């Protein structure tokens, strides 16, 4: 059942007002005002979202709050109205976006305190929040795409925030263009859906209507699902379109936290869960999603273990964790995927903010080899970062353990044993490189250069308070989704069940396939295996970075070929440049611009003019001015006419 | 008597001679003369055919042709005089100001 | 008319015409032309068009040819001697073209049937009275318009050929023939004896 809730519009209105204020009045109003408005509007949006969420809890399962905004497209039978829909799924997303977003906005007030382009930063950040909320609250696929594009734009604006540096600008462009390639797939997916439904006379993209007519999509399900997924690989940085995310780290660190960890990159996962009625009809597509997710998770994790830039480690970690989410939704554990999305927002956002705190204290230095033994100087940062690392390493009772565990359980239970194995190995690698980060940064001997030493102090409260809040959630955030045999079980999944009403894998399937006792033991065994992998990773990191600090260098020297490949990120950027960028530039330049445009088309046009000139120059030679020549022409004509008569006579 | 076709043949020959004269000679006055010759050849044809058809139309037309030829000769020769005054030549090949 | 007379007159006309186009001295050309015109006039009379024949001789030979002679005298045009050869190609082509034209006309005319018949005419065929009758009835408009035409041509000829005061006009030859007058540059070639012109 749906209930009208006009206040939903406020969730969009507040960030929009923030954008306008910061855009037009920000510079004049001064830092204090921008500090208040920028984060303030997001807090306000969070409050409204919370209000909506509480209302939703009181309603029966499967209910939704709606708010229609504006009739947009009316093209014959095809209608698209802009409206908002707050159901269980979008409520979770909205709370995450506004909650984590508000904290990061607050953090930014401290982090960007020394920057001159203060107002512009908050304009873009608010604009991003607005776009993300449009994406999440959209009640139809086309409106979601508006938000999709909007966050892509804001991502570009914020990555290239300090655009005076040409490399930053280039990375921003790279992000936008790679995203755009994915967007093409998304659009083609939308078109496929419209065409498939239109053939039956159904002309709508509204999610509720789409789900109702889902069986009409059966013929094109695989195609549409894969196309939409291709768009998701761009936005969510999976293979093959992940290459923009590591380079996006040149943006301000809060941007990396918000956009490239907590929210935008998760849009792809959200979209797949939203369209679960489509994906469940295309098992092939779901297998593709799961496989791509697992491989990406493993692939990115292996790159992360050799990165020396603290933010790059976290970037590849993000790619890897989203791979887990894709694995989750790909095997049918939709709720688990969203669950991991939520916990990931907590701990990854926290990780980035802590990294920002470290970088802030190190006056901009991001190379971990220049750090070490920082835990005494940055206690709060250290403590919160450690909590986040424990969460991502899936150590109970932290949040990451429960969400990752559910995904792996779902993978195993649905029969994807190989993907489960990859997931487990990747979990080990994850904890390895995360603790490597912790040990290199906060433990060991200090490699900090003297000029930075005296500036090393903890960040101001405006930055540490969000750290603490997020750390708390990194601990308790997972407790809404416990395994079935523990306490209240998986409340999260029950909450989302009406949305993902198609067959869901995980404990349910296990319930069907295995007898009760076997189910319980299998679940416990799987959990222990995953936990063991994580602990092994931590142990290895301790061995290599604390116990025997010289070991990594020796290993790198011995296995230098492998080290090179990993350090160069498997040469993917170079491969893309060779296979895609250069041919494209070649086609644009010599072939099209010079060849086609200049030689053929201009040649044709200029040639036409030249031909006329030549023709004229030749033709004017007939005007000799000599009367006798003209008379000769007359004669020739007369001969022709007379000849015609002769011909008539002869015939 | 002589068939009319003989007169037509004579007319054709005289006309051709006139055409040849226009092409061959460079003196504009002689060219003009050749043109008059052509006109006369046509006059002959008119009269002959008129006689053949038994009507007076041919002769009346010739009457007009002669008149027009006279007028044209006057104007044409006046032109030649004017041109001669400017260019001092009656050689058609040298009167080529309209050349490209 | 009897065929023999016709043959004689036709031959004369052709010879005179050839003389028009082939002779060097323009005065000779004009005189040849006068002969040809007279010949054609006689042919007219032979065909029964007596009025037109007389008109031809009186108007054409008497007036137009004299006009030509006057102009030639006025321009002091003499034989085209010592001029560079003209474009031989076009002369050749022109002559050939003329011959071809004649042949085509031949073929066309000779194909018409009944051109070989001879008829007798009513007695007043070609008389002044009948011509006048036609002029003032069927061809009245043409008659009146022609008078306008003559007026226009008179005005035009005068306008074209008159001299504004001071403009040089070629001096009249004091003696017949002789050298070109001083001050007349270029084109008119002075020569006493007409040399063979390369036409």
């Amino acid at each position: 059942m749906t209930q009208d809730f006009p206040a939903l519009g406020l969730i969009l209105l507040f960030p929009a007002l923030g954008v306008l204020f910061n855009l037009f009045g920000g510079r004049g109003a001064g830092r204090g005002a921008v500090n208040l408005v920028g984060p303030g509007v997001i807090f306000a949006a969070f409050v409204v979202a919370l209000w909506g969420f509480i209302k939703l809890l009181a309603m029966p399962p499967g209910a939704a709050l709606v708010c229609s905004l504006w009739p947009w497209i009316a093209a014959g039978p095809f209608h698209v109205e802009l409206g908002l829909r707050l159901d269980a799924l979008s409520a979770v997303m909205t709370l995450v976006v506004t909650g984590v977003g508000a904290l990061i906005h607050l953090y930014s007030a401290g982090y960007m305190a020394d920057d001159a382009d203060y107002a512009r930063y908050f304009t873009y950040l608010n604009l991003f929040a607005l776009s993300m909320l449009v994406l999440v609250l959209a009640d139809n696929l086309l409106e979601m795409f508006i938000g999709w594009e909007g966050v892509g734009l804001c991502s570009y604006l914020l990555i290239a925030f300090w655009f005076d540096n040409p490399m930053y600008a280039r990375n921003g462009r790279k992000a936008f263009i790679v995203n755009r390639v994915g967007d093409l797939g998304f659009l083609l997916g939308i078109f496929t859906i419209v065409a498939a439904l239109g053939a039956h006379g159904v002309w709508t993209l509204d999610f509720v209507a789409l789900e109702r007519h889902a069986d009409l999509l059966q013929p094109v399900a695989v195609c549409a699902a894969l196309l939409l997924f291709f768009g998701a690989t761009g936005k969510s940085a999976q293979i093959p379109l992940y290459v923009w995310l590591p380079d996006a780290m040149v943006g301000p660190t809060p941007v990396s936290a918000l956009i490239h960890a907590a929210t935008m990159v998760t849009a792809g996962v959200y979209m797949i869960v939203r369209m679960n009625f489509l994906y469940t009809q295309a098992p092939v597509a779901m297998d593709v999603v799961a496989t791509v997710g697992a491989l990406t998770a493993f692939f990115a994790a292996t790159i992360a273990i050799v990165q020396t830039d603290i933010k790059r480690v976290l970037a590849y970690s993000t790619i890897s964790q989203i791979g887990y989410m894709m694995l989750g939704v790909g095997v049918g554990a939709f709720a688990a995927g969203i669950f991991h999305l939520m916990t990931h927002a907590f701990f990854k956002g926290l990780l980035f903010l802590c990294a920002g705190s470290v970088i802030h204290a190190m006056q901009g230095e991001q190379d971990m080899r220049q750090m070490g033994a920082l835990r005494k100087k940055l206690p709060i940062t250290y403590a919160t970062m450690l909590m986040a690392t424990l969460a991502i390493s899936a150590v109970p009772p932290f949040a990451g353990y429960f969400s990752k565990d559910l995904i792996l359980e779902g993978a195993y239970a649905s029969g994807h044993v190989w993907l489960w194995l990859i997931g487990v190995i990747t979990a080990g690698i994850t904890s390895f490189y995360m603790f490597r980060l912790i040990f290199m940064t906060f433990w060991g001997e200090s490699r900090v250069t003297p000029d930075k030493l005296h500036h090393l102090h903890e960040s101001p409260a405006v930055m540490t308070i969000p750290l603490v809040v997020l750390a708390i959630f990194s601990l308790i955030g997972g407790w809404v989704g416990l395994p079935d045999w523990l306490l209240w079980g998986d409340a999260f999944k029950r909450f989302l069940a009406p949305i993902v009403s198609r067959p869901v894998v995980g404990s349910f399937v296990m319930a069907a396939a295995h007898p009760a006792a076997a189910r319980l033991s299998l679940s416990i065994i799987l959990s222990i295996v995953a936990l063991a992998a994580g602990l092994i990773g931590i142990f290895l990191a301790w061995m290599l970075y604390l116990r025997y600090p010289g070991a990594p260098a020796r290993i790198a020297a011995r296995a230098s070929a492998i080290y090179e490949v990993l350090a160069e990120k498997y040469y993917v950027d170079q491969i893309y440049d060779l296979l895609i960028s250069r041919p494209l530039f070649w086609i644009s330049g010599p072939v099209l611009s010079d060849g086609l445009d200049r030689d053929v088309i201009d040649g044709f046009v200029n040639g036409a003019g030249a031909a006329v000139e030549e023709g004229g120059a030749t033709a004017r030679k007939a005007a000799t001015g000599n009367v006798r020549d003209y008379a000769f022409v007359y004669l020739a004509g007369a001969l022709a006419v007379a000849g015609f008569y002769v011909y008539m006579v002869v015939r | 008597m002589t068939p009319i076709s003989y007169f037509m043949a004579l007319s054709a020959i005289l006309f051709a001679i006139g055409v040849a004269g226009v092409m061959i000679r460079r003196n504009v006055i002689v060219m003009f003369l050749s043109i008059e010759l052509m006109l006369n050849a046509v006059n002959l044809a008119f009269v002959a055919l008129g006689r053949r058809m038994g009507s007076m139309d041919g002769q009346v037309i010739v009457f007009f042709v002669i008149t027009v030829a006279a007028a044209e000769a006057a104007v044409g020769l006046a032109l030649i005089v004017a041109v001669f005054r400017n260019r001092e030549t009656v050689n058609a090949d040298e009167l080529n100001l309209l050349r490209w | 008319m009897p065929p023999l007379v016709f043959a004689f007159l036709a031959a004369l006309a052709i010879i005179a015409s050839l003389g028009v186009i082939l002779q060097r001295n323009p005065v000779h050309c004009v005189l040849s032309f006068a002969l040809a015109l007279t010949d054609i006039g006689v042919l007219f009379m032979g065909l029964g068009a007596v009025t037109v024949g007389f008109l031809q001789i009186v108007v054409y030979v008497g007036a137009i040819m004299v006009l030509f002679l006057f102009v030639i005298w006025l321009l002091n045009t003499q034989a085209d001697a010592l001029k560079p050869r003209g474009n031989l190609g076009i002369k050749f082509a022109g002559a050939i073209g003329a011959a071809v034209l004649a042949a085509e006309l031949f073929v066309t005319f000779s194909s018409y049937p009944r051109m070989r018949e001879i008829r007798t005419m009513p007695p007043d065929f070609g008389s002044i009275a009948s011509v006048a009758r036609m002029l003032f009835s069927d061809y009245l408009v043409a008659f009146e318009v022609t008078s306008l035409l003559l007026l226009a041509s008179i005005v035009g000829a005068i306008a074209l050929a008159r001299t504004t005061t001071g403009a040089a006009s070629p001096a009249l030859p004091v003696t017949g023939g002789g050298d070109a007058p001083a001050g007349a540059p270029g084109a008119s070639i002075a020569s006493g004896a007409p040399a063979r012109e390369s036409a």
Side-chain angles (χ1 to χ4, degrees), chain B residues 28-89:
Chain B
V28 296
I29 297 183
V30 179
M31 285 170 77
F32 205 39
L33 224 46
S34 308
I35 293 172
E36 296 289 334
L37 180 56
M38 286 197 272
L39 274 173
N40 275 281
V42 171
N43 280 351
L44 184 60
F46 267 123
V47 172
L49 285 172
R51 165 67 191 257
R52 169 74 192 80
M53 297 195 317
S55 97
M56 290 286 292
D57 290 314
Q59 298 176 31
V60 176
I61 289 175
V62 170
F63 180 88
F64 285 119
V65 171
I66 292 176
T67 313
V68 170
E72 163 229 344
V75 175
L77 288 170
L79 264 175
I80 292 175
V81 169
V83 165
F84 182 81
R85 288 221 187 92
N86 274 306
R87 305 287 287 180
E88 301 292 342
T89 180

Side-chain angles (χ1 to χ4, degrees), chain A residues 113-137:
Chain A
D114 300 325
D115 200 289
D117 281 323
Y118 205 66
R120 182 163 67 97
Y121 176 81
F122 274 101
T123 309
Y124 291 161
L125 213 60
N126 280 350
L127 185 62
F128 169 80
L130 175 65
S131 304
M132 190 70 201
L133 288 167
V134 167
L135 194 160
V136 167
L137 286 170

Side-chain angles (χ1 to χ4, degrees), chain A residues 176-186 230-231 234 241:
Chain A
F176 192 77
I177 292 175
V178 175
N179 255 253
R180 213 74 189 95
V181 174
D183 289 352
L184 177 65
F186 197 102
F230 187 70
L241 297 176

Side-chain angles (χ1 to χ4, degrees), chain A residues 456-512:
Chain A
L456 270 185
H457 55 73
E458 187 57 85
S459 307
V462 73
M463 285 166 71
T464 54
I465 291 180
L467 298 184
V468 172
V469 173
L470 283 174
I472 295 175
F473 274 100
S474 297
L475 176 60
I476 68 172
W479 294 353
V480 295
L482 303 174
D484 283 335
W485 41 268
L486 193 61
L487 297 178
W488 53 78
D490 199 342
F492 192 81
K493 185 153 60 191
R494 284 196 297 277
F495 183 58
L496 284 186
I499 311 290
V500 292
S501 56
R502 306 291 170 121
V504 181
V505 201
S507 300
F508 285 176
V509 168
M510 294 181 67

Side-chain angles (χ1 to χ4, degrees), chain B residues 1 25 36 40 57 88, chain C residues 23 56 60 114 118 139 187:
Chain B
M1 294 309 200
R25 298 300 295 256
E36 296 289 334
N40 275 281
D57 290 314
E88 301 292 342
Chain C
Q23 293 197 78
Q56 165 99 342
Y60 234 119
R114 310 194 302 168
I118 308 163
Y139 292 89

